[in-house]
Amino acid sequence: MPELPEVETVKRTLEPHLQGKKIIAVEIYHPGVIAFPGVDEFCKLIEGKTIQSLGRRGKYLIIQLSGGYYLVAHLRMTGRLVLAGESDPLASHTHIIFALSKGLYLHWVDTRRFGRLYLAEKDTAAFVAGLNKLGAEPLDDSFDRETLAAICSGRQRPLKQILLDQQLLAGIGNIYADEMLFLAGLSPMRPGESLSRDEIDRLYEAMQAVLQQGIANQGTSIKDYVDGFGQRGKNQDFLKVYGRAGKPCTRCGTVLVKKKIGGRSTCYCPLCQG
DNA sequence: ACAATTACCTGTATGC
DNA sequence: TGCATACAGGTAATTG
């Protein structure tokens, strides 16, 4: 599933190919993907624009266009943005095709059709996509131990829920949340406010390590995720707890446990994360 | 105000 | 074999 490291990888793989290209035409087979504005308006606005740069905020991919416009994409669960050539066969569940200059194509593919696209000028795009509601950016220079301490303090909610709350921390999903809690040696049920200074530091270090390793491995491909070239990531081979319930802990051998926390399935080691 | 549940979707795995 | 059911997970909307 596209979480921060996956969206960052998509951004890095697409950017050198998209930068400077002109959007010549767009074909929309499934209008539900366009969250804003209406489909006709979307097509009218986007055709003729030039792609200037790519950015990321949390799990959102942000494509800056000429004329002050921004195309904001959220891949949700199974969304893919992949480069293609003229004669490349269409993957099933291809909902949108962007025809670009130099004979390049960009395909929006999404099995479960949860993904959404937003197109507008800067402030409007941020608002309709929900960008301005997002919390701290975990790999940003401004995100430090103090910020994490402030996020946890006074919150009785379990750490697992805090990590997944996009209004507190942007970009962390179920896979990386479980992995960073394991690396930090913290129980996913621990209330945020119960963490000592030392435990905040451990969680901070674990967040950095887990997210950076995810990016270094080009993301985690459990099922659907691929980068801008359609390539799978390698991080699924390095997961310590996610998807390993019932198997022995890599650190102590104890059988890993699966439990629902805040309605989300959570894998952890009852001993290492006691 | 907050937490829990449901809706949105489809592919895959499981049980009978 | 075929059918029903559960589950997967990100977020918005709804319910309690």
Side-chain angles (χ1 to χ4, degrees):
Chain A
M1 324 304 150
E3 305 181 26
L4 188 156
E6 287 73 35
V7 180
E8 181 65 27
T9 303
V10 170
K11 182 213 154 206
R12 291 183 187 185
T13 49
L14 289 181
E15 185 160 41
H17 298 271
L18 294 185
Q19 214 159 27
K21 298 290 192 301
K22 187 170 175 176
I23 301 171
I24 295 166
V26 55
E27 282 187 72
I28 298 173
Y29 304 112
H30 180 71
V33 175
I34 313 299
F36 186 93
V39 176
D40 293 344
E41 184 75 1
F42 181 92
C43 295
K44 201 169 73 180
L45 281 173
I46 205 161
E47 286 178 5
K49 296 276 194 299
T50 300
I51 298 170
Q52 297 188 330
S53 64
L54 269 64
R56 180 192 59 75
R57 176 81 170 93
K59 300 172 193 172
Y60 290 86
L61 183 69
I62 300 168
I63 302 174
Q64 187 180 1
L65 304 173
S66 54
Y69 277 82
Y70 289 79
L71 178 63
V72 180
H74 198 308
L75 302 169
R76 296 279 184 102
M77 311 274 307
T78 55
R80 305 175 172 195
L81 262 177
V82 284
L83 295 165
E86 170 77 54
S87 56
D88 287 347
L90 287 192
S92 52
H93 308 290
T94 301
H95 305 315
I96 300 180
I97 296 179
F98 297 94
L100 310 175
S101 50
K102 307 256 170 99
L104 192 66
Y105 292 82
L106 184 64
H107 292 186
W108 176 274
V109 184
D110 187 2
T111 306
R112 296 178 69 176
R113 299 192 280 177
F114 284 177
R116 291 293 181 267
L117 285 170
Y118 309 81
L119 175 66
E121 291 177 281
K122 191 169 188 176
D123 291 347
T124 306
F127 178 75
V128 295
L131 293 180
N132 42 23
K133 286 198 288 190
L134 292 177
E137 191 63 43
L139 295 183
D140 198 273
D141 288 342
S142 65
F143 181 72
D144 54 18
R145 292 164 178 75
E146 302 305 321
T147 311
L148 181 60
I151 287 168
C152 291
S153 79
R155 293 185 200 280
Q156 295 174 263
R157 299 167 73 193
L159 288 176
K160 176 64 184 275
Q161 283 192 50
I162 292 174
L163 291 175
L164 288 180
D165 189 336
Q166 302 300 302
Q167 302 194 34
L168 298 176
L169 292 160
I172 300 167
N174 211 27
I175 297 172
Y176 292 99
D178 280 6
E179 293 298 315
M180 50 186 68
L181 285 168
F182 174 78
L183 187 60
L186 292 167
S187 163
M189 287 91 83
R190 281 281 296 279
E193 63 181 4
S194 74
L195 266 61
S196 68
R197 196 64 222 190
D198 178 57
E199 289 171 328
I200 291 283
D201 286 349
R202 270 160 43 201
L203 181 55
Y204 179 85
E205 296 300 337
M207 288 172 69
Q208 303 298 308
V210 163
L211 292 174
Q212 278 167 6
Q213 181 200 276
I215 295 171
N217 286 326
Q218 287 95 38
T220 303
S221 295
I222 302 284
K223 232 174 80 61
D224 296 277
Y225 165 74
V226 291
D227 68 17
F229 300 128
Q231 302 283 313
R232 287 165 58 82
K234 302 184 209 62
N235 203 53
Q236 62 279 8
D237 299 334
F238 298 90
L239 299 178
K240 301 284 203 295
V241 284
Y242 180 87
R244 296 195 65 247
K247 293 179 180 170
C249 173
T250 54
R251 186 167 164 269
C252 77
T254 302
V255 174
L256 298 177
V257 169
K258 180 145 101 170
K259 177 184 168 73
K260 283 231 185 241
I261 299 176
R264 308 298 302 282
S265 69
T266 303
C267 295
Y268 65 100
C269 173
L271 190 61
C272 295
Q273 299 174 258

